[in-house]
């Protein structure tokens, strides 16, 4: 079983990842900021999922 503090950090990371992906999809800027937001969001989601223990 994962440490509750680690699970909480994982939940926050997952939420941040989803928010970043949504922001990347909504942004109407040039390609680089959107790509960075999507990549960062996807990475944060995966890291959060692993920290929560939901491999």
């Amino acid at each position: 079983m994962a440490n509750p503090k680690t699970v909480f950090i994982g939940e926050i990371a997952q939420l941040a990842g989803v928010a970043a992906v949504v922001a990347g999809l909504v942004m109407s800027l040039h390609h680089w900021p959107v790509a960075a937001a999507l990549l960062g969001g996807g990475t944060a989601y995966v890291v959060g999922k692993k920290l929560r223990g939901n491999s």
Side-chain angles (χ1 to χ4, degrees):
M1 181 120 206
N3 181 351
K5 188 173 183 178
T6 304
V7 171
F8 177 72
I9 293 170
E11 290 173 358
I12 297 301
Q14 273 191 297
L15 288 174
V18 170
V21 169
V22 169
L25 294 174
V26 170
M27 277 193 289
S28 61
L29 299 173
H30 297 287
H31 298 290
W32 286 109
V34 175
L38 290 172
L39 183 61
T43 303
Y45 182 81
V46 170
V47 167
K49 191 171 183 177
K50 292 213 178 272
L51 286 173
R52 291 181 65 198
N54 299 339
S55 57

